[in-house]
Amino acid sequence: MTLDELQKAQNTPTDFSRLDAAVIEDAMLTQDARFAADSHLYVSFYTKPTLRPRESQEQGRPIYRDEVYVRILIPGDKQNQVDRLASEQDIQRFRKQYDAFLQGKQLNEGTPLEAVGFIPPSLVAELKHFNITTVEQLAEVNDGAVQNMQGLAMWRQKARAYVELTHSPEALHERVSKAEQENAELRALVERLQKKAKE
């Protein structure tokens, strides 16, 4: 490379657009992996009046302003809860829940525990105490929570079976086919027994 070529290369601005795109894509992939389990969290936004000390001192009376807070709960874990002033990252990370909050609704995706017939009402109340409100959350409860609550492993397994059955058309079709086959076998058995009883 000649001296002129070197000086020309130094004076040419570097095009960082491809690098910027790669960095942004890498950040998106990292963020997706970092927040992959967010669908298992119970997240709600709410407003809370917050005392404004400076304005209160200036006015000589308490002045409050409504602030948006976020509450993040891990189903089955009463010890690890987040309840703080919502940041822009919280709003972006939990966009669906934030949009529901703006519309005056709380978003809790999944099948409510009360909607399935296999969970007794007393257990529903106990699970809600541990921030488990949907069958999907129960199916994803971590092993630590299972160890802290007697019998939860069995209910988690039932919830997993329910989720698999209801979220997979193939599993549902297989279950229906098996039930139809068993039903046909039982009918044939009843007919044979009725014939024997007549003899």
Side-chain angles (χ1 to χ4, degrees):
M1 183 178 265
T2 67
L3 184 57
D4 288 334
E5 290 173 336
L6 182 59
Q7 286 177 340
K8 185 178 180 183
Q10 287 177 341
N11 292 333
T12 304
T14 305
D15 179 15
F16 286 106
S17 62
R18 288 179 47 206
L19 178 62
D20 289 345
V23 168
I24 290 169
E25 182 180 345
D26 186 48
M28 298 279 282
L29 291 173
T30 303
Q31 185 176 16
D32 286 349
R34 192 170 126 199
F35 302 128
D38 280 359
S39 63
H40 305 303
L41 300 175
Y42 176 80
V43 179
S44 62
F45 288 87
Y46 65 98
T47 55
K48 178 178 171 183
T50 305
L51 181 65
R52 309 300 291 175
R54 187 166 30 126
E55 290 92 345
S56 297
Q57 188 176 19
E58 289 171 1
Q59 297 285 329
R61 62 185 175 86
I63 303 291
Y64 288 85
R65 185 171 106 199
D66 285 343
E67 301 270 6
V68 176
Y69 278 71
V70 64
R71 181 176 294 125
I72 306 169
L73 306 172
I74 300 170
D77 189 347
K78 290 292 284 181
Q79 304 302 318
N80 294 315
Q81 300 181 15
V82 173
D83 196 346
R84 65 171 180 243
L85 186 64
S87 68
E88 190 60 37
Q89 182 182 6
D90 293 327
I91 292 169
Q92 293 305 317
R93 181 177 171 189
F94 304 111
R95 174 54 66 183
K96 286 193 294 188
Q97 291 88 340
Y98 183 72
D99 289 343
F101 158 73
L102 291 177
Q103 296 172 6
K105 304 172 188 170
Q106 287 298 339
L107 185 63
N108 194 10
E109 290 185 12
T111 306
L113 295 172
E114 301 89 348
V116 295
F118 64 88
I119 302 175
S122 58
L123 181 61
V124 169
E126 189 174 355
L127 292 172
K128 284 185 174 184
H129 175 76
F130 288 99
N131 306 315
I132 301 170
T133 60
T134 68
V135 178
E136 289 78 5
Q137 289 173 337
L138 177 57
E140 294 299 325
V141 165
N142 66 39
D143 292 335
V146 168
Q147 291 175 356
N148 292 334
M149 193 172 162
Q150 186 176 3
L152 189 59
M154 177 189 72
W155 293 106
R156 178 178 67 175
Q157 195 58 38
K158 287 183 179 188
R160 285 179 175 171
Y162 175 86
V163 168
E164 180 184 334
L165 182 66
T166 58
H167 289 71
S168 166
E170 296 83 20
L172 182 59
H173 179 68
E174 181 181 324
R175 190 85 173 246
V176 168
S177 296
K178 184 177 178 182
E180 288 173 347
Q181 180 183 359
E182 288 173 356
N183 195 10
E185 290 171 3
L186 287 172
R187 280 190 202 140
L189 179 63
V190 167
E191 287 177 16
R192 284 196 308 261
L193 290 173
Q194 286 175 340
K195 282 183 182 180
K196 276 192 174 185
K198 288 181 181 178
E199 293 175 359

